[in-house]
Every structure is written in C-alpha cells, then in structure tokens.
Amino acid sequence: MGIYVRISKDRKGRELGIRRQEKACRELCERLGWGVLKVYSENDASASTTSKRKRPVYTEMLRDARDGLVDGIVVHSIDRLTRRISELSGFLEDQKEHGFAFATTEGEDTSTAGGRMILTIKGAVAQQETERMSERIDNSLLQRREQGKPHAGGKRQFGFKAGSRFQELDEDEAELIREGWRMLTGSSPKTPGDIARRWNARGSTTPQGGDWTIQSVKRVYRSERTGGIITYKGQDIGDSVYGAPLNREQWERVQAVLDSRSTPAAQGAGKRKHLYSGFLRCGSCGSAMRVQWATIQGRTFRRTFCHSGQRGKDGRLGCGKVSRSYEWIAEQLDTAVENTLLVRAPERVETPAEDLTDEIHLLERRVQALRNRWKEGRMEDEDFFDALAHLRVELRALRARDTAAAARGARVVTDASAVWKDDDAENLERRRALVATVIDHVDVFSVGRGRRKPPESTSIKITPVP
C-alpha cells in the first residue's frame, strides 16, 4: 500500500500535520492488515481550484498505482487527496480501470456505485469550501483596497522602507524618485538611462542590491505603487491612504513620457559599438556590412566588410567581395553629417491653444462620483469596473495630451551640433540618432588590393534621408 499525506500551509516547516495524517493512515492499514510500502508526502502544497502549482508527489503516486508498484492508496480524508471535483473524477476512473484499492480514515467505500457517489459529493463539498474561502479572501482584499490600503505582500519596492508593508517611505529613495521624475518631465527631458547613471553615481542600489539599469528604472516608474494608486485585479480602485513618492498626476505624466519613448526605434538607434554600423551596405550585393576590430601583421584597426556567411533581409548570403578600412569611411560620413547639422535650423513647436484642464477636472469628478455610488452599494461590481475602465482610458488620454502639450511648450531646443561634437562613449546612441536623421544608408564599393593612396570619394555612395 501507499500512503498519501498532504497539508496546504506549513509556514514553520515542522510537518506536524503531515505526521498526524501518516499516523492515522498507518493505524488504518494495521487494522485492515495492509502493509505499507511507501509514504507519499506533499508538505505545503495546495490542492484547491485556485492553486496553479503542480503536485509532483501526487503525480508520482498516481503513476505508481497505475503501473502496479503499489496496490492501493490510503489517505486521511478526501480533501487531503484533492479539492477539485474534476481531479477526483479522474482519480476514481483510474482506480476503476487499473483496479487498485482506495481507503480513507473516514471510511469511504469506493467498491460500490453508492459509495463512489458519496465520495463525489464530499469532493464537491470540499471544492465548494475552497471556493467560498477564496471568495472571502477576495472580499477582504477588495475591502482593504476600497479603504485605500495597498496589498502588503511581495518584495520590497524602491522608495518604501523594508518591513513597512508599503506604509512608510524611505525618504532618501523617495527623493531620488522625485529627482528622476523632474529629469524625465523637465524642460530638457532626460532618459531612464540618464536616471540610472545618476542613481548609480549617488551610490544607490536596487532593492536586491544591484546596479541600476534602464529596465530597473522603468519598473520603478511603471509601478502604480510609486504613484500611490491602489489596484485590484488590474482595476484602478483609488488612492492609497499612505504616502507615495509621487502623486497620481505625476505618475500618469511619467507614463505619458515613457509611452512616447516606446515607439519603434529608427534605423541605427539600436545599441551598437560603432557609430555607423547598421548604415553601411555592400555596394556589390546590398547586404549589411559588419564593423569590427582586426589585427593584421601587428597592426590593429577597424574594418567594415561584407560577410559571406551572413544572410541579409532578403534571405540571400553576402557576397564577401567588399572589405574596407572603416576609419576613412567614418571621416567622410562625419563631414557629411556635421555639414548638414550646421545648416539645419532648429524648429520650435508652438504650444497648442487648447486648454484641457476643465475636461480633466470633469472626468476626475465623474470617477469620484462613480466610486462613491459603488461603495454605497448602488452599482454592481461588473458595471462599476466597466465604467471605471472606460473613464480611466479617457482620463489617461487627456492627461497624456496635456503633458505632451506642456512638454512641447516648455522644451528648450537642443543644439544638435553640440550633441554631435560630444564623442564620449556614453553619447554614442544620441549621435547615432542624429545620423539617422541625415543618412538613410551608405553603399560601400571595393577599391581593390594594394592601394596606397586614399580611396576616391566615389568609392562610397551616401543616400540621405528623404
């Protein structure tokens, strides 16, 4: 015989519930004259309909019973075996098909149709109990959200004190978040990468103790908790009664800024090591050319070449016929880009005449009125969440328009030439973005071998951006 024992929660890990079940099952086996071959123990594992965790020990036990390694299964009670009626039905079908015995310390009999019906009823009751418990927990969590109390579980989040259950701010970290907010939304907007470098320079670390990256900074500003916003199952419920690094309006303004930066990058905006990689094409076959450092006869230099083993966008392999020194090409392209930027006049965007303040305030009042009706029990949950989601979409769109308008009106035109002349490695992506506004692509042709004089200017063909 095999004994299956399980307990859903064992926070202290002492396995006391497991031991009590095993003792009762062994006593039953002794009374029936059954020997115990194996004990299948599954500690701290839920079997409810709401659990998504797998139960590998249960699967092993059922497999052994099907294969005849054990000729029966003993459990303390049916809810220890499962709390899912579908899983219980499958278990009883397996028992009937493979002929293994089954017993519980509560005396269920599965040898008759009536006994299996009683067992199924008990399984349905166990499932209902689990679902009712889940409903009570959900109602309790929803009530906490309605009171403006955020979910207190999960890992520590940047800006909040450890162990405070998101109720107390870490003022130093909160000030860094506010400083980053001013950098993102100021008159000369910065990027999440700029914020990551600033925070790292200040000696700040992520809650896990690592260095800040672009993605970890974005996670801080994308979190509703940073804006003091309470959510429940993805729905915006209201504002937290505790403090937050940003208020709702500031948080939503950051979302508008981050959303505006999430558009597909232009050609050449990827993370590269060389300024013109991605812009160079083989003049013979049209494939993209690689740029890399090479050492030949003791001389180290950068070269660009058509790779015969690399497939282009059309699926064809490169011809491998063109290989050139990168430095001369880069000098020609530097001159072309710089000359274009010098004659390009900056354009100032006029601030739109529309004023969205009244529309935003009207929607905010409608959201508050809707929330009051729901709290007073005058609206069904489904109607409330549908209406709230619709209003929130409209409100976010208006705030995004208002934020974009304010940013355009206050933006200081950046001197493109100054950005271009800053050849620091950290400024490479900005310089590539400027190149992408001037050059669409460059065709590079072969100049033959053994040439000592500088290549002809016709050995490259620059195609400007239309």
Side-chain angles (χ1 to χ4, degrees):
M1 284 291 169
I3 294 176
Y4 179 75
V5 291
R6 181 190 65 81
I7 191 169
S8 299
K9 295 291 183 182
D10 185 12
R11 301 186 186 281
K12 296 184 179 180
R14 298 168 63 181
E15 299 188 357
L16 298 180
I18 291 290
R19 294 174 187 173
R20 286 193 296 268
Q21 292 178 40
E22 183 181 344
K23 179 181 178 182
C25 290
R26 285 186 179 276
E27 290 174 353
L28 174 62
C29 290
E30 187 176 350
R31 290 196 302 272
L32 298 175
W34 293 347
V36 177
L37 177 66
K38 187 174 182 180
V39 176
Y40 300 90
S41 176
E42 202 139 42
N43 194 43
D44 200 21
S46 174
S48 72
T49 56
T50 59
S51 175
K52 296 181 181 180
R53 294 175 57 187
K54 295 182 179 180
R55 292 191 291 157
V57 177
Y58 174 84
T59 303
E60 178 190 358
M61 175 269 295
L62 197 56
R63 183 175 61 247
D64 289 350
R66 290 168 180 163
D67 295 342
L69 297 180
V70 293
D71 53 8
I73 300 297
V74 178
V75 297
H76 184 270
S77 60
I78 189 60
D79 62 353
R80 295 304 88 199
L81 180 71
T82 181
R83 285 182 178 270
R84 305 183 187 191
I85 190 66
S86 59
E87 196 169 58
L88 176 60
S89 298
F91 178 85
L92 294 178
E93 288 296 327
D94 283 337
Q95 184 207 7
K96 183 177 179 180
E97 178 181 350
H98 297 282
F100 57 85
F102 176 68
T104 74
T105 60
E106 296 179 347
E108 283 84 358
D109 179 15
T110 60
S111 62
T112 65
R116 288 193 294 272
M117 181 188 71
I118 296 298
L119 195 64
T120 303
I121 292 174
K122 285 190 173 182
V125 171
Q127 177 171 318
Q128 183 193 35
E129 180 184 349
T130 299
E131 292 175 349
R132 290 180 62 186
M133 184 183 302
S134 176
E135 289 177 357
R136 289 195 297 270
I137 293 173
D138 284 347
N139 290 335
S140 175
L141 293 176
L142 180 56
Q143 185 178 19
R144 281 182 54 85
R145 304 299 196 283
E146 293 172 10
Q147 297 170 351
K149 298 178 180 178
H151 177 53
K155 298 178 181 179
R156 184 180 90 82
Q157 182 172 313
F158 190 70
F160 296 88
K161 288 184 178 179
S164 70
R165 303 171 72 87
F166 303 102
Q167 298 178 14
E168 298 180 37
L169 292 178
D170 183 310
E171 291 300 335
D172 292 337
E173 293 180 353
E175 183 54 38
L176 285 178
I177 293 175
R178 297 184 191 110
E179 180 185 10
W181 176 83
R182 291 189 290 270
M183 292 172 64
L184 285 172
T185 61
S187 58
S188 181
K190 304 299 182 183
T191 67
D194 295 324
I195 295 175
R197 287 187 285 273
R198 176 72 62 86
W199 289 0
N200 287 329
R202 296 283 183 86
S204 173
T205 61
T206 66
Q208 291 73 41
D211 291 335
W212 288 103
T213 64
I214 292 175
Q215 294 305 319
S216 59
V217 168
K218 285 183 177 180
R219 281 194 293 270
V220 170
Y221 288 102
R222 286 294 193 186
S223 171
E224 287 88 352
R225 280 190 177 129
T226 300
I229 298 173
I230 304 296
T231 59
Y232 177 72
K233 294 186 176 180
Q235 298 289 342
D236 185 343
I237 301 300
D239 298 323
S240 173
V241 296
Y242 307 113
L246 303 177
N247 59 38
R248 177 186 288 273
E249 184 177 353
Q250 290 172 329
W251 182 83
E252 291 187 345
R253 186 173 176 184
V254 168
Q255 306 317 300
V257 171
L258 295 180
D259 290 343
S260 69
R261 294 178 178 274
S262 63
T263 54
Q267 179 187 8
K271 199 160 188 176
R272 307 271 189 169
K273 296 180 181 179
H274 310 282
L275 183 58
Y276 296 107
S277 58
F279 293 96
L280 307 181
R281 295 184 185 179
C282 174
S284 177
C285 68
S287 298
M289 298 183 68
R290 290 187 181 183
V291 180
Q292 66 177 203
W293 287 95
T295 300
I296 299 177
Q297 295 180 350
R299 186 171 64 93
T300 300
F301 62 99
R302 281 188 294 180
R303 66 168 181 151
T304 179
F305 62 99
C306 177
H307 197 291
S308 59
Q310 177 176 301
R311 295 188 182 275
K313 293 182 180 180
D314 58 357
R316 295 184 303 172
L317 291 171
C319 65
K321 296 180 180 179
V322 179
S323 179
R324 298 275 302 274
S325 171
Y326 174 79
E327 301 302 336
W328 180 87
I329 297 174
E331 290 176 2
Q332 309 306 306
L333 299 183
D334 285 348
T335 302
V337 172
E338 187 170 354
N339 290 339
T340 302
L341 295 178
L342 286 174
V343 300
R344 180 181 293 174
E347 298 180 0
R348 180 175 295 275
V349 180
E350 296 297 332
T351 304
E354 63 177 343
D355 185 1
L356 303 175
T357 305
D358 291 340
E359 294 181 56
I360 292 174
H361 288 170
L362 176 60
L363 279 180
E364 288 175 342
R365 289 194 296 270
R366 289 178 61 187
V367 168
Q368 188 59 47
L370 186 71
R371 186 178 293 116
N372 290 338
R373 288 182 60 193
W374 178 58
K375 289 183 177 180
E376 293 168 2
R378 293 188 289 157
M379 286 189 71
E380 296 294 331
D381 289 354
E382 184 176 357
D383 294 335
F384 168 72
F385 287 125
D386 286 345
L388 183 63
H390 178 71
L391 289 176
R392 283 297 181 198
V393 169
E394 289 188 23
L395 187 57
R396 179 167 292 184
L398 281 177
R399 283 179 170 156
R401 286 170 54 191
D402 189 57
T403 298
R408 286 195 300 266
R411 184 176 297 140
V412 175
V413 178
T414 303
D415 185 353
S417 296
V419 174
W420 174 253
K421 292 176 181 178
D422 181 7
D423 58 359
D424 189 90
E426 293 185 354
N427 196 46
L428 178 64
E429 293 304 319
R430 292 181 179 177
R431 298 185 76 209
R432 285 179 58 80
L434 287 177
V435 173
T437 67
V438 177
I439 297 175
D440 183 76
H441 66 274
V442 180
D443 292 307
V444 181
F445 302 95
S446 177
V447 293
R449 297 182 179 180
R451 293 177 62 92
R452 296 298 180 185
K453 63 181 181 179
E456 301 291 339
S457 59
T458 55
S459 64
I460 62 172
K461 179 183 177 183
I462 302 174
T463 300
V465 172

